[in-house]
Amino acid sequence: MADNEELIKDLKVILDIDSTDSSSDDLLNLVVKRTKQRLLAKIKKGPDETVPNQLEYILFEVSVRRFNRLNNEGMKSYSEDGENVTFNEDDFTGFENEISNYLSDQNESQMPTARFLNPYEFSVKQ
């Protein structure tokens, strides 16, 4: 996401929160902040770094999961009036492959290269 405002706006749309209602902005910002910190830790980046463009959708999706899980922290399942909801232990469940692929790509691009010289290619001049 280009910025936090755009992310909050998109979260309000998917969570069916009135875009003119700012009463949930602090909560949404906190959810996004903590989700971002956790994602950055998972991809081995510092807390002040930005989420790479190719992983921004994970920040959005996990923020939605985290918001929906509020007040049900620590529960594996929740039931009310015949409605049953089961939560994953980790909000990032389902994104492990994408995170692993990203880390793999980063490691490959940072790998040093070795260059081998053919000692017989150079002739000794006398």
Side-chain angles (χ1 to χ4, degrees):
M1 303 277 149
D3 59 21
N4 232 25
E5 285 182 33
E6 183 181 343
L7 179 57
I8 299 301
K9 181 181 165 189
D10 290 349
L11 285 170
K12 284 183 172 184
V13 169
I14 202 161
L15 295 169
D16 198 25
I17 298 172
D18 183 3
S19 62
T20 60
D21 180 7
S22 62
S23 64
S24 60
D25 286 4
D26 287 343
L27 181 58
L28 287 170
N29 277 303
L30 181 61
V31 167
V32 168
K33 177 183 173 182
R34 297 298 181 210
T35 303
K36 177 184 174 188
Q37 288 173 336
R38 184 127 182 254
L39 178 57
L40 289 171
K42 284 185 168 289
I43 61 172
K44 298 173 176 44
K45 290 195 176 272
D48 296 328
E49 295 188 63
T50 59
V51 173
N53 291 339
Q54 65 265 41
L55 300 181
E56 285 179 347
Y57 75 97
I58 295 175
L59 176 59
F60 177 78
E61 295 293 331
V62 175
S63 293
V64 170
R65 288 180 182 183
R66 184 69 192 111
F67 184 85
N68 286 331
R69 191 176 178 142
L70 289 173
N71 300 321
N72 297 313
E73 289 88 354
M75 291 182 166
K76 289 189 179 189
S77 62
Y78 171 78
S79 180
E80 183 177 324
D81 296 330
E83 179 183 8
N84 295 317
V85 179
T86 303
F87 300 109
N88 291 319
E89 295 258 343
D90 181 2
D91 292 325
F92 286 88
T93 298
F95 299 107
E96 297 92 353
N97 288 339
E98 290 91 336
I99 292 170
S100 281
N101 289 342
Y102 173 81
L103 290 171
S104 247
D105 291 346
Q106 294 306 303
N107 286 338
E108 286 176 15
S109 67
Q110 294 175 0
M111 297 271 300
T113 55
R115 205 169 147 204
F116 296 96
L117 299 175
N118 181 351
Y120 299 107
E121 183 177 315
F122 302 102
S123 62
V124 179
K125 293 185 181 180
Q126 296 182 4

